[in-house]
Amino acid sequence: MSSTINTVAVLGGTGNLGTHIVRALLVGGFTVTILTRSGSTSSKPSFTPYTVTFTAVDYSSPSSLQSAFEGQDAVVSVLATAAVQEQKKIVDAAIAAGVKRFVPSEFGVNTRQKGVEKTKIGELLAGKREVVDYLIQKEGTGLTWTGLSTGFFFESALSNGLTGIDAKNGKATIIDSGTGLWPASLQSHIGRAVSEILRHPDLTKNSYLSTASFNVSQNQLLAITEELTGKKLNVTHVDSKDIHNNGEEKLAKGDYSAFVDFLKVHFLADGAGNELKKEESANEKLRLLTEDVRAVVKGWLEEEGLLAA
């Protein structure tokens, strides 16, 4: 059986990251079907000038999933973290339909990083680890897989305050020293990474890859923002231990917004060790270029109307 991939089904393809992945697949020449939940009333995004097929599927029905996967060479899951456990039955349906490649909903945090399973963020993402473990168990069925970690989704992290930079209100919250480097990816970069994974199936099969647009620190972002806005930000330093403890208190009350606290500690705390080093990066394998963080921040500030005159 040829390993060439032409047709791709995407679950979660109408979401923020999903639309970027779908567009990159279309640009890459793939025929794309977006699977939506039966009964969903969400609007269907346009991918002009490309054509996309939308198919409603009952995610709880193995036969509905298998039918939707018939004729698909690959399945890409961009399901939200809360829904990742559904992926095991999705994997089974993909195997039954003869799908060649499955890309699970990883992205973000590297869930295969040594020791991550012992951290709070690792505990909350245990479902993702289990899905990759399940895919490894199923390697003899004819279904191959590729996992992909990407670091922070950079545009979202800038907009929702995860980076600690709040240029609009003239302030910044720096965790610990702010010097640690961490990986971040533009959503368009993630889309291209997925497209390249499927364009080179033999090179990427049964492997967990890491990519990033760049590595950056909070202090670097602070300096770039102050330079481009022409204003000094009011800087507050916080201890990562306090953020972690705050997350613990939230979690004890059943407040899962604690995820954000643990995410900040995972990436931004001193000693986190998340910098994506060249020898660990799949950028070269996937023919992806690093990007200019200053240019990206400049574009964001310009959109927000915050660039210095």
Side-chain angles (χ1 to χ4, degrees), residues 177-196:
S177 70
T179 59
L181 293 171
W182 36 270
S185 294
L186 302 182
Q187 292 178 94
S188 58
H189 176 95
I190 298 171
R192 289 193 297 272
V194 173
S195 180
E196 289 301 313

Side-chain angles (χ1 to χ4, degrees), residues 4 7 47 51 74 85 96 124 131 136 166 175 179 181 186 191 207 214 224 252-253 255 273 275 295-296 300 304:
T4 302
T7 55
F47 295 93
T51 300
Q85 284 290 4
L124 293 175
V131 171
I136 293 170
D166 182 0
I175 297 175
T179 59
L181 293 171
L186 302 182
S207 58
F214 40 70
I224 291 169
K253 299 173 184 175
D255 180 358
E275 176 188 1
V296 174
W300 170 63
E304 297 292 320

Side-chain angles (χ1 to χ4, degrees), residues 16 70 109 148 163 170:
N16 197 16
E70 295 289 348
V109 174
L148 182 69
T163 63

Side-chain angles (χ1 to χ4, degrees), residues 84-309:
V84 294
Q85 284 290 4
E86 292 183 309
Q87 289 182 108
K88 288 184 181 179
K89 63 175 176 281
I90 293 169
V91 168
D92 289 339
I95 292 170
V99 171
K100 302 174 187 177
R101 178 64 54 90
F102 192 92
V103 178
S105 185
E106 282 288 302
F107 314 112
V109 174
N110 182 345
T111 65
R112 312 306 287 185
Q113 184 180 7
K114 185 178 179 181
V116 73
E117 72 279 2
K118 299 175 183 177
T119 66
K120 278 297 177 182
I121 197 72
E123 289 177 17
L124 293 175
L125 295 176
K128 290 194 173 192
R129 288 182 58 85
E130 290 173 13
V131 171
V132 175
D133 288 341
Y134 192 65
L135 285 164
I136 293 170
Q137 293 172 21
K138 298 294 182 179
E139 285 179 4
T141 63
L143 179 70
T144 59
W145 63 276
T146 310
L148 182 69
S149 71
T150 61
F152 269 150
F153 301 166
F154 194 61
E155 300 100 322
S156 298
L158 281 174
S159 298
N160 63 25
L162 274 176
T163 63
I165 305 300
D166 182 0
K168 187 174 183 179
N169 293 304
K171 59 185 181 180
T173 302
I174 303 299
I175 297 175
D176 296 337
S177 70
T179 59
L181 293 171
W182 36 270
S185 294
L186 302 182
Q187 292 178 94
S188 58
H189 176 95
I190 298 171
R192 289 193 297 272
V194 173
S195 180
E196 289 301 313
I197 283 169
L198 299 184
R199 276 169 48 84
H200 305 282
D202 293 329
L203 189 65
T204 60
K205 71 177 181 180
N206 298 336
S207 58
Y208 194 97
L209 306 176
S210 295
T211 186
S213 294
F214 40 70
N215 290 296
V216 68
S217 71
Q218 281 194 291
N219 286 348
Q220 288 172 345
L221 277 182
L222 174 62
I224 291 169
T225 302
E226 290 183 335
E227 174 204 346
L228 293 174
T229 60
K231 299 177 181 177
K232 286 289 184 182
L233 302 190
N234 182 20
V235 178
T236 301
H237 285 268
V238 295
D239 193 314
S240 59
K241 294 186 181 66
D242 293 335
I243 297 175
H244 179 88
N245 291 339
N246 187 53
E248 291 271 27
E249 290 174 7
K250 288 180 181 177
L251 204 57
K253 299 173 184 175
D255 180 358
Y256 282 89
S257 68
F259 181 85
V260 175
D261 295 306
F262 298 135
L263 191 64
K264 288 178 180 178
V265 172
H266 177 76
F267 279 114
L268 306 179
D270 281 358
N274 284 303
E275 176 188 1
L276 182 59
K277 296 180 172 61
K278 184 177 181 180
E279 61 270 20
E280 299 167 345
S281 172
N283 283 11
E284 187 173 336
K285 177 181 285 190
L286 299 178
R287 298 164 173 79
L288 298 171
L289 300 175
T290 54
E291 302 180 60
D292 183 349
V293 62
R294 186 181 184 279
V296 174
V297 174
K298 182 177 181 180
W300 170 63
L301 291 171
E302 188 171 20
E303 287 180 4
E304 297 292 320
L306 299 172
L307 273 182

